[in-house]
Structures are given as C-alpha cells and as structure tokens.
Amino acid sequence: MAVISFHSLEDRMVKEFFTGKAKPCICPPDFPVCACGRRATGVVMTPKAVVPGAGELERNPRAASAKLRALRKL
C-alpha cells in the first residue's frame, strides 16, 4: 500500500496506521512476556517519508507538501 498525503494531520494518521500494522506486540512494556500473541501484518518500506526533490518542485510547485509512505504486506 502506498499513500501520498498533503497535510500533516493526514500524514500522522498514515504513519500511525502503518506503525500499528508493523508492530508485532501491543502489550505494555512492563510485561515480562508477551501475552497478546499478536503478529505484525506488514513491513514499513519507507521509515522516513519520501518528499519531492528539487527537480520535481521546479516542474510542479504544488508538490511541495506531498509525502509518500509505503507498507508491504507480510
């Protein structure tokens, strides 16, 4: 799945969704052993958002706020 967001709130929702899909355990950190048995369902392919380069911005100034994030299914 690849998502292009144009606003910071959109980007935050996408980032949190992707992080939730890639996180294998949701137990509290003070648990000595995992009790939830949850497995990750995806791998975040873009740890940092991909933003347009200088050439793209020169050709298309409206792309300045675009951020691309990608998630691969396991």
Side-chain angles (χ1 to χ4, degrees):
M1 174 189 311
V3 177
I4 298 174
S5 59
F6 292 94
H7 300 284
S8 61
L9 291 176
E10 291 173 351
D11 188 51
R12 180 179 296 224
M13 288 190 294
V14 171
K15 184 178 178 181
E16 288 175 357
F17 176 79
F18 282 4
T19 302
K21 293 295 182 186
K23 191 183 291 187
C25 181
I26 55 173
C27 294
D30 58 339
F31 276 24
V33 178
C34 176
C36 67
R38 185 172 182 263
R39 296 190 184 269
T41 58
V43 175
V44 176
M45 298 183 66
T46 54
K48 297 270 186 181
V50 178
V51 295
E56 173 69 22
L57 291 175
E58 198 172 292
R59 290 188 307 272
N60 181 10
R62 292 173 50 183
S65 63
K67 292 185 179 184
L68 172 71
R69 294 189 184 269
L71 178 78
R72 179 177 58 88
K73 186 176 179 183
L74 286 179

